[in-house]
Amino acid sequence: MHDDTVSREGSFSETRDATGHPVRPPRRRFQARAQGVLAILVAVLTLYTLGRFREAVAWGGILAIVCWPLVRRVRAHWASRHADTLIPAGVVVAIGLAFAAPVLLIGTEVAKETHDATQWFQQARQDGIPAPAWLGELPYEQAQAQRWWQANLADPSGVQDLMHRLKPEQALGTVEQIGHGAANGTVLLMFSLLVLFFLLRSGREVSGRITVLTDRLFGVRGEMVLKQIVGAVRGSMAGLVLVGLGEGVLIGISYVIAGAPQPLLLGILTAVASMIPMLGGFAVAIAVLLILMKGSVGAAVAVGVFGLLVLFLADHFIRPVLIGGSIRLPFVWVLLGILGGLETWGLVGLFVGPVLMAVAHLIWRFGSARGMLRAGE
């Protein structure tokens, strides 16, 4: 009985169609489809079960793609048997410190400035806010601006009315929401670093399995899609994070030269804001206003012009090349992917958006090329 079954299965496996390809029996085709449905169902339920930790897994995967070439390079020059654990641990610690250092610095400075700001508000409510010297240097409407300042801000009653309109209780609620968001972000960061550590420690096995799975599911073009995804993630990291840091450094130097208050904090704010295209201008505007309040009109204008020039050159020339150059993604696709991904997915969308656009553009190239070939024929 067993031999008959084997012989029948063998005959099924040896059956071939007119082109010579083996033909699967109906039961095996049904099992293959059922396995595919089961795999999709399990994948969807797994993503649903992860809940808000999906973002941590996504960040861990993004950081692993970016850091993997560095880990391989270091591993090639370090033959220690513990290198597979120590190198990923070192990368995780370095990334953790890179995130923690600015946060601690900002928190410390905010704590220092909070006391001074409280005293300033109390003094403003008692004595009013004196008019700055640069009001008299305005090219137009000097008298009107000075009269408005004297009527609304120099008078203590005007300051109290302004603070009443600002509704400080809503500001306290906003601060509470920011604190809750910071705590939630810290938890997600810890889990992201944990995911990153395990992905880097098993990097060779994970990358090999992903390559095999992609080849089985999509064939040769699946490998091309995989390369497009990796290139988009690494290009986004270079074009967003590294360019944003460079913009923050250059514009931060102008803050120091112009004598802006808290130039280090303003530089960090500019670097973080500049990681998102067209958002760095708001940080530069804040710095210009603070410099104006000190009475330095010329320095404020110089900082504004220099900052906008740096942002324009970086956003329109350097960033598109870094993000879309290696994967042949046009600038419009890059920009739509970044902004659309940010709006839809949050911060992780800065990488998810360009990845989806890169894959969509690759599919577009495949489809249009086949269409052109048929049209030519």
Side-chain angles (χ1 to χ4, degrees), residues 171-216:
L172 291 176
T174 302
V175 172
E176 183 179 354
Q177 292 179 358
I178 293 175
H180 178 72
N184 183 48
T186 302
V187 173
L188 290 179
L189 174 62
M190 298 301 295
F191 276 95
S192 299
L193 294 178
L194 184 65
V195 172
L196 173 63
F197 172 76
F198 285 106
L199 286 177
L200 292 181
R201 195 178 69 170
S202 306
R204 283 174 290 190
E205 179 183 358
V206 172
S207 61
R209 288 182 178 274
I210 291 176
T211 302
V212 171
L213 180 61
T214 304
D215 183 67
R216 286 179 177 176

Short mmCIF file of all heavy atoms in Angstrom, two decimals, residues 171-216:
data_model
loop_
_atom_site.label_atom_id
_atom_site.label_comp_id
_atom_site.label_asym_id
_atom_site.label_seq_id
_atom_site.Cartn_x
_atom_site.Cartn_y
_atom_site.Cartn_z
N ALA A 171 -1.17 75.96 27.99
CA ALA A 171 0.27 75.72 27.83
C ALA A 171 0.74 74.60 28.75
O ALA A 171 1.56 73.76 28.36
CB ALA A 171 1.05 77.00 28.10
N LEU A 172 0.21 74.58 29.98
CA LEU A 172 0.59 73.50 30.91
C LEU A 172 0.12 72.15 30.37
O LEU A 172 0.81 71.14 30.50
CB LEU A 172 -0.01 73.77 32.29
CG LEU A 172 0.59 74.96 33.05
CD1 LEU A 172 -0.17 75.17 34.37
CD2 LEU A 172 2.07 74.75 33.33
N GLY A 173 -1.09 72.13 29.77
CA GLY A 173 -1.56 70.88 29.18
C GLY A 173 -0.68 70.42 28.03
O GLY A 173 -0.41 69.23 27.86
N THR A 174 -0.20 71.38 27.24
CA THR A 174 0.71 71.04 26.14
C THR A 174 2.01 70.47 26.67
O THR A 174 2.55 69.50 26.13
CB THR A 174 0.98 72.29 25.29
OG1 THR A 174 -0.25 72.81 24.80
CG2 THR A 174 1.89 71.95 24.12
N VAL A 175 2.53 71.09 27.74
CA VAL A 175 3.77 70.58 28.35
C VAL A 175 3.57 69.16 28.86
O VAL A 175 4.45 68.30 28.71
CB VAL A 175 4.21 71.52 29.49
CG1 VAL A 175 5.37 70.91 30.27
CG2 VAL A 175 4.61 72.88 28.93
N GLU A 176 2.41 68.89 29.44
CA GLU A 176 2.13 67.53 29.93
C GLU A 176 2.09 66.54 28.78
O GLU A 176 2.61 65.42 28.89
CB GLU A 176 0.80 67.53 30.68
CG GLU A 176 0.45 66.18 31.30
CD GLU A 176 -0.86 66.22 32.06
OE1 GLU A 176 -1.43 67.32 32.19
OE2 GLU A 176 -1.31 65.16 32.51
N GLN A 177 1.48 66.94 27.66
CA GLN A 177 1.45 66.05 26.49
C GLN A 177 2.85 65.80 25.95
O GLN A 177 3.19 64.69 25.54
CB GLN A 177 0.56 66.65 25.41
CG GLN A 177 -0.91 66.68 25.78
CD GLN A 177 -1.75 67.31 24.68
OE1 GLN A 177 -1.23 67.74 23.66
NE2 GLN A 177 -3.05 67.37 24.89
N ILE A 178 3.68 66.86 25.94
CA ILE A 178 5.06 66.69 25.47
C ILE A 178 5.82 65.72 26.38
O ILE A 178 6.58 64.87 25.91
CB ILE A 178 5.77 68.06 25.42
CG1 ILE A 178 5.13 68.94 24.33
CG2 ILE A 178 7.26 67.89 25.16
CD1 ILE A 178 5.68 70.34 24.29
N GLY A 179 5.61 65.85 27.69
CA GLY A 179 6.26 64.92 28.62
C GLY A 179 5.81 63.48 28.40
O GLY A 179 6.63 62.56 28.43
N HIS A 180 4.53 63.28 28.17
CA HIS A 180 4.02 61.93 27.91
C HIS A 180 4.61 61.38 26.61
O HIS A 180 5.01 60.21 26.53
CB HIS A 180 2.50 61.96 27.83
CG HIS A 180 1.88 60.63 27.52
ND1 HIS A 180 1.83 59.59 28.44
CD2 HIS A 180 1.31 60.15 26.38
CE1 HIS A 180 1.25 58.54 27.89
NE2 HIS A 180 0.92 58.86 26.64
N GLY A 181 4.68 62.25 25.58
CA GLY A 181 5.27 61.81 24.32
C GLY A 181 6.74 61.47 24.45
O GLY A 181 7.23 60.53 23.83
N ALA A 182 7.46 62.25 25.28
CA ALA A 182 8.88 61.97 25.49
C ALA A 182 9.08 60.62 26.18
O ALA A 182 9.98 59.85 25.83
CB ALA A 182 9.52 63.08 26.31
N ALA A 183 8.23 60.33 27.19
CA ALA A 183 8.33 59.04 27.88
C ALA A 183 8.01 57.89 26.93
O ALA A 183 8.70 56.86 26.91
CB ALA A 183 7.37 59.01 29.07
N ASN A 184 6.98 58.06 26.09
CA ASN A 184 6.62 57.03 25.13
C ASN A 184 7.74 56.83 24.11
O ASN A 184 8.09 55.70 23.74
CB ASN A 184 5.33 57.42 24.42
CG ASN A 184 4.85 56.34 23.45
OD1 ASN A 184 4.80 55.17 23.79
ND2 ASN A 184 4.51 56.74 22.25
N GLY A 185 8.34 57.95 23.66
CA GLY A 185 9.44 57.85 22.72
C GLY A 185 10.65 57.16 23.31
O GLY A 185 11.36 56.42 22.61
N THR A 186 10.91 57.37 24.60
CA THR A 186 12.03 56.71 25.25
C THR A 186 11.84 55.19 25.29
O THR A 186 12.78 54.42 25.03
CB THR A 186 12.21 57.25 26.68
OG1 THR A 186 12.42 58.67 26.63
CG2 THR A 186 13.40 56.60 27.36
N VAL A 187 10.62 54.76 25.58
CA VAL A 187 10.33 53.32 25.60
C VAL A 187 10.52 52.72 24.21
O VAL A 187 11.14 51.66 24.05
CB VAL A 187 8.90 53.08 26.12
CG1 VAL A 187 8.53 51.60 25.99
CG2 VAL A 187 8.77 53.52 27.57
N LEU A 188 9.99 53.39 23.19
CA LEU A 188 10.14 52.89 21.83
C LEU A 188 11.60 52.87 21.41
O LEU A 188 12.04 51.95 20.69
CB LEU A 188 9.33 53.75 20.86
CG LEU A 188 7.81 53.63 20.96
CD1 LEU A 188 7.13 54.55 19.97
CD2 LEU A 188 7.35 52.19 20.73
N LEU A 189 12.38 53.87 21.84
CA LEU A 189 13.80 53.89 21.51
C LEU A 189 14.51 52.69 22.12
O LEU A 189 15.35 52.05 21.46
CB LEU A 189 14.43 55.19 21.99
CG LEU A 189 15.95 55.29 21.85
CD1 LEU A 189 16.36 55.22 20.38
CD2 LEU A 189 16.47 56.58 22.48
N MET A 190 14.21 52.35 23.36
CA MET A 190 14.86 51.21 24.01
C MET A 190 14.54 49.91 23.28
O MET A 190 15.43 49.09 23.04
CB MET A 190 14.40 51.12 25.47
CG MET A 190 14.78 52.32 26.32
SD MET A 190 16.57 52.59 26.37
CE MET A 190 17.09 51.12 27.23
N PHE A 191 13.28 49.73 22.89
CA PHE A 191 12.92 48.51 22.16
C PHE A 191 13.53 48.51 20.76
O PHE A 191 13.89 47.45 20.23
CB PHE A 191 11.40 48.36 22.09
CG PHE A 191 10.80 47.73 23.31
CD1 PHE A 191 10.30 48.50 24.34
CD2 PHE A 191 10.75 46.36 23.44
CE1 PHE A 191 9.76 47.94 25.47
CE2 PHE A 191 10.21 45.76 24.58
CZ PHE A 191 9.71 46.55 25.60
N SER A 192 13.63 49.68 20.13
CA SER A 192 14.25 49.75 18.81
C SER A 192 15.71 49.33 18.89
O SER A 192 16.21 48.59 18.03
CB SER A 192 14.15 51.18 18.26
OG SER A 192 12.80 51.57 18.11
N LEU A 193 16.41 49.79 19.92
CA LEU A 193 17.82 49.40 20.09
C LEU A 193 17.95 47.92 20.41
O LEU A 193 18.91 47.27 19.98
CB LEU A 193 18.45 50.24 21.20
CG LEU A 193 18.57 51.74 20.91
CD1 LEU A 193 19.17 52.47 22.10
CD2 LEU A 193 19.39 51.99 19.66
N LEU A 194 16.97 47.37 21.14
CA LEU A 194 17.00 45.94 21.42
C LEU A 194 16.82 45.13 20.13
O LEU A 194 17.54 44.16 19.88
CB LEU A 194 15.89 45.60 22.41
CG LEU A 194 15.82 44.14 22.89
CD1 LEU A 194 17.07 43.79 23.68
CD2 LEU A 194 14.58 43.91 23.76
N VAL A 195 15.86 45.54 19.29
CA VAL A 195 15.66 44.88 18.01
C VAL A 195 16.90 45.02 17.14
O VAL A 195 17.34 44.06 16.48
CB VAL A 195 14.43 45.47 17.29
CG1 VAL A 195 14.32 44.94 15.86
CG2 VAL A 195 13.16 45.14 18.06
N LEU A 196 17.51 46.20 17.16
CA LEU A 196 18.72 46.44 16.37
C LEU A 196 19.85 45.51 16.80
O LEU A 196 20.56 44.95 15.95
CB LEU A 196 19.16 47.89 16.54
CG LEU A 196 20.50 48.28 15.92
CD1 LEU A 196 20.48 48.10 14.42
CD2 LEU A 196 20.87 49.71 16.29
N PHE A 197 20.01 45.32 18.09
CA PHE A 197 21.10 44.45 18.59
C PHE A 197 20.94 43.03 18.06
O PHE A 197 21.90 42.43 17.55
CB PHE A 197 21.10 44.45 20.11
CG PHE A 197 22.04 43.45 20.70
CD1 PHE A 197 23.41 43.67 20.72
CD2 PHE A 197 21.55 42.26 21.24
CE1 PHE A 197 24.28 42.72 21.26
CE2 PHE A 197 22.40 41.32 21.78
CZ PHE A 197 23.78 41.55 21.80
N PHE A 198 19.74 42.47 18.16
CA PHE A 198 19.55 41.08 17.73
C PHE A 198 19.64 40.96 16.20
O PHE A 198 20.13 39.94 15.70
CB PHE A 198 18.20 40.56 18.23
CG PHE A 198 18.19 40.25 19.69
CD1 PHE A 198 17.54 41.06 20.60
CD2 PHE A 198 18.87 39.14 20.18
CE1 PHE A 198 17.53 40.78 21.96
CE2 PHE A 198 18.87 38.83 21.54
CZ PHE A 198 18.21 39.66 22.43
N LEU A 199 19.20 41.98 15.47
CA LEU A 199 19.33 41.92 14.01
C LEU A 199 20.79 41.98 13.59
O LEU A 199 21.21 41.24 12.68
CB LEU A 199 18.56 43.08 13.37
CG LEU A 199 17.03 42.97 13.37
CD1 LEU A 199 16.42 44.22 12.77
CD2 LEU A 199 16.57 41.73 12.62
N LEU A 200 21.59 42.82 14.24
CA LEU A 200 23.01 42.90 13.88
C LEU A 200 23.76 41.65 14.31
O LEU A 200 24.68 41.21 13.61
CB LEU A 200 23.63 44.15 14.53
CG LEU A 200 23.15 45.50 14.00
CD1 LEU A 200 23.85 46.64 14.72
CD2 LEU A 200 23.36 45.61 12.49
N ARG A 201 23.41 41.09 15.45
CA ARG A 201 24.10 39.89 15.91
C ARG A 201 23.85 38.71 14.99
O ARG A 201 24.73 37.88 14.78
CB ARG A 201 23.68 39.56 17.34
CG ARG A 201 24.60 38.56 18.01
CD ARG A 201 24.19 38.26 19.43
NE ARG A 201 22.94 37.53 19.51
CZ ARG A 201 22.46 36.98 20.62
NH1 ARG A 201 23.13 37.11 21.76
NH2 ARG A 201 21.32 36.34 20.62
N SER A 202 22.65 38.63 14.43
CA SER A 202 22.33 37.53 13.50
C SER A 202 22.23 38.05 12.08
O SER A 202 21.45 37.54 11.27
CB SER A 202 21.00 36.89 13.93
OG SER A 202 21.03 36.47 15.28
N GLY A 203 23.01 39.08 11.76
CA GLY A 203 22.87 39.75 10.47
C GLY A 203 23.08 38.85 9.28
O GLY A 203 22.31 38.90 8.31
N ARG A 204 24.13 38.01 9.30
CA ARG A 204 24.39 37.16 8.15
C ARG A 204 23.27 36.16 7.92
O ARG A 204 22.85 35.92 6.77
CB ARG A 204 25.73 36.45 8.34
CG ARG A 204 26.94 37.34 8.09
CD ARG A 204 28.23 36.66 8.41
NE ARG A 204 28.41 36.46 9.85
CZ ARG A 204 29.53 36.07 10.43
NH1 ARG A 204 30.59 35.80 9.68
NH2 ARG A 204 29.62 35.93 11.73
N GLU A 205 22.79 35.57 8.99
CA GLU A 205 21.71 34.60 8.84
C GLU A 205 20.42 35.28 8.38
O GLU A 205 19.73 34.78 7.47
CB GLU A 205 21.46 33.88 10.17
CG GLU A 205 20.33 32.86 10.11
CD GLU A 205 20.06 32.21 11.45
OE1 GLU A 205 20.80 32.52 12.43
OE2 GLU A 205 19.13 31.40 11.53
N VAL A 206 20.10 36.43 8.97
CA VAL A 206 18.87 37.13 8.60
C VAL A 206 18.92 37.59 7.15
O VAL A 206 17.96 37.39 6.39
CB VAL A 206 18.64 38.33 9.55
CG1 VAL A 206 17.47 39.18 9.05
CG2 VAL A 206 18.37 37.85 10.96
N SER A 207 20.04 38.19 6.73
CA SER A 207 20.14 38.65 5.35
C SER A 207 20.09 37.49 4.37
O SER A 207 19.47 37.59 3.29
CB SER A 207 21.43 39.45 5.16
OG SER A 207 22.57 38.63 5.44
N GLY A 208 20.71 36.37 4.71
CA GLY A 208 20.65 35.20 3.85
C GLY A 208 19.24 34.66 3.70
O GLY A 208 18.81 34.32 2.60
N ARG A 209 18.52 34.57 4.81
CA ARG A 209 17.15 34.06 4.76
C ARG A 209 16.24 35.01 3.97
O ARG A 209 15.36 34.57 3.23
CB ARG A 209 16.61 33.86 6.18
CG ARG A 209 17.25 32.67 6.90
CD ARG A 209 16.65 32.48 8.28
NE ARG A 209 17.21 31.33 8.94
CZ ARG A 209 16.77 30.08 8.81
NH1 ARG A 209 15.72 29.84 8.02
NH2 ARG A 209 17.32 29.08 9.46
N ILE A 210 16.43 36.33 4.15
CA ILE A 210 15.62 37.28 3.40
C ILE A 210 15.88 37.15 1.91
O ILE A 210 14.95 37.19 1.09
CB ILE A 210 15.92 38.71 3.89
CG1 ILE A 210 15.38 38.91 5.31
CG2 ILE A 210 15.31 39.75 2.95
CD1 ILE A 210 15.71 40.25 5.90
N THR A 211 17.14 36.95 1.54
CA THR A 211 17.48 36.79 0.12
C THR A 211 16.83 35.54 -0.45
O THR A 211 16.27 35.55 -1.56
CB THR A 211 19.00 36.73 -0.05
OG1 THR A 211 19.59 37.93 0.47
CG2 THR A 211 19.37 36.58 -1.51
N VAL A 212 16.91 34.42 0.29
CA VAL A 212 16.30 33.17 -0.18
C VAL A 212 14.79 33.31 -0.31
O VAL A 212 14.19 32.89 -1.30
CB VAL A 212 16.67 32.02 0.77
CG1 VAL A 212 15.88 30.76 0.42
CG2 VAL A 212 18.16 31.73 0.72
N LEU A 213 14.16 33.91 0.72
CA LEU A 213 12.70 34.07 0.69
C LEU A 213 12.27 34.97 -0.47
O LEU A 213 11.30 34.67 -1.17
CB LEU A 213 12.23 34.66 2.02
CG LEU A 213 10.72 34.90 2.16
CD1 LEU A 213 9.96 33.59 2.04
CD2 LEU A 213 10.41 35.59 3.48
N THR A 214 12.99 36.06 -0.67
CA THR A 214 12.66 36.97 -1.78
C THR A 214 12.80 36.27 -3.12
O THR A 214 11.96 36.44 -4.02
CB THR A 214 13.56 38.22 -1.73
OG1 THR A 214 13.44 38.84 -0.45
CG2 THR A 214 13.18 39.21 -2.81
N ASP A 215 13.85 35.48 -3.27
CA ASP A 215 14.07 34.76 -4.53
C ASP A 215 12.97 33.74 -4.77
O ASP A 215 12.50 33.57 -5.90
CB ASP A 215 15.44 34.10 -4.51
CG ASP A 215 15.77 33.40 -5.82
OD1 ASP A 215 15.93 34.12 -6.83
OD2 ASP A 215 15.84 32.16 -5.83
N ARG A 216 12.54 33.06 -3.71
CA ARG A 216 11.49 32.06 -3.87
C ARG A 216 10.15 32.70 -4.23
O ARG A 216 9.38 32.15 -5.02
CB ARG A 216 11.33 31.25 -2.58
CG ARG A 216 12.46 30.25 -2.34
CD ARG A 216 12.25 29.52 -1.03
NE ARG A 216 13.29 28.52 -0.81
CZ ARG A 216 13.39 27.78 0.29
NH1 ARG A 216 12.50 27.94 1.28
NH2 ARG A 216 14.35 26.89 0.42
#
